[in-house]
Amino acid sequence: EVQLVESGGGSVQTGGSLRLSCVISGNTPPYIFVAWFRRLPTGNLEGIASISNTGAITYADAVKGRFTISKNNDGKLLYLQMSNLRLEDTATYRCAVETLGAAGTFYSALHPLESSGYNHWGKGVPVTVSS
């Protein structure tokens, strides 16, 4: 089983920065998709950044140019560097992993920012941006 634990959330003023971390542990296969999602105050779950099993990175338009997703060499640490934060970035941020399905494919290969493909989730950390 794969476990994910996020850290680094908190409160920041508009224009500020935060870095979120996600520790990936347990029986983690070598080839996985990883991603960051956020649950907005409206309740909507939004995919914001992902890294494919081959290293391809995808960003949602809402965060492109402001957020950077990365992971360390062994793939056990996932980061989200958030800069120039806006009020609308207030949300609970969760990391997620998709492991290879029984069919030998990744759903996220075609839909990297859709939650449907991800089968392991962290509990999330809150990020509050204020003016």
Side-chain angles (χ1 to χ4, degrees), residues 29 31 98-108 116-117 119-120:
Y31 302 108
E98 181 186 359
T99 52
L100 196 63
T105 60
F106 286 105
Y107 177 88
S108 299
S116 301
N119 50 353
H120 302 279

Side-chain angles (χ1 to χ4, degrees), residues 34-53:
V34 294
W36 287 97
F37 288 78
R38 62 187 182 187
R39 176 79 66 182
L40 300 171
T42 58
N44 291 342
L45 184 65
E46 185 177 65
I48 56 176
S50 70
I51 304 177
S52 77
N53 58 316

Side-chain angles (χ1 to χ4, degrees), residues 77-131:
L77 281 172
L78 180 67
Y79 301 104
L80 185 69
Q81 178 66 48
M82 306 185 293
S83 302
N84 192 19
L85 283 160
R86 304 169 180 169
L87 295 175
E88 55 265 36
D89 294 319
T90 294
T92 297
Y93 286 73
R94 302 176 70 184
C95 57
V97 162
E98 181 186 359
T99 52
L100 196 63
T105 60
F106 286 105
Y107 177 88
S108 299
L110 295 178
H111 312 282
L113 297 182
E114 287 187 18
S115 61
S116 301
Y118 294 89
N119 50 353
H120 302 279
W121 292 81
K123 292 183 178 180
V125 289
V127 171
T128 302
V129 185
S130 60
S131 57

Side-chain angles (χ1 to χ4, degrees), residues 50-71:
S50 70
I51 304 177
S52 77
N53 58 316
T54 60
I57 291 177
T58 303
Y59 292 103
D61 289 342
V63 305
K64 202 172 291 183
R66 300 188 299 121
F67 290 12
T68 302
I69 187 172
S70 63
K71 59 183 182 178

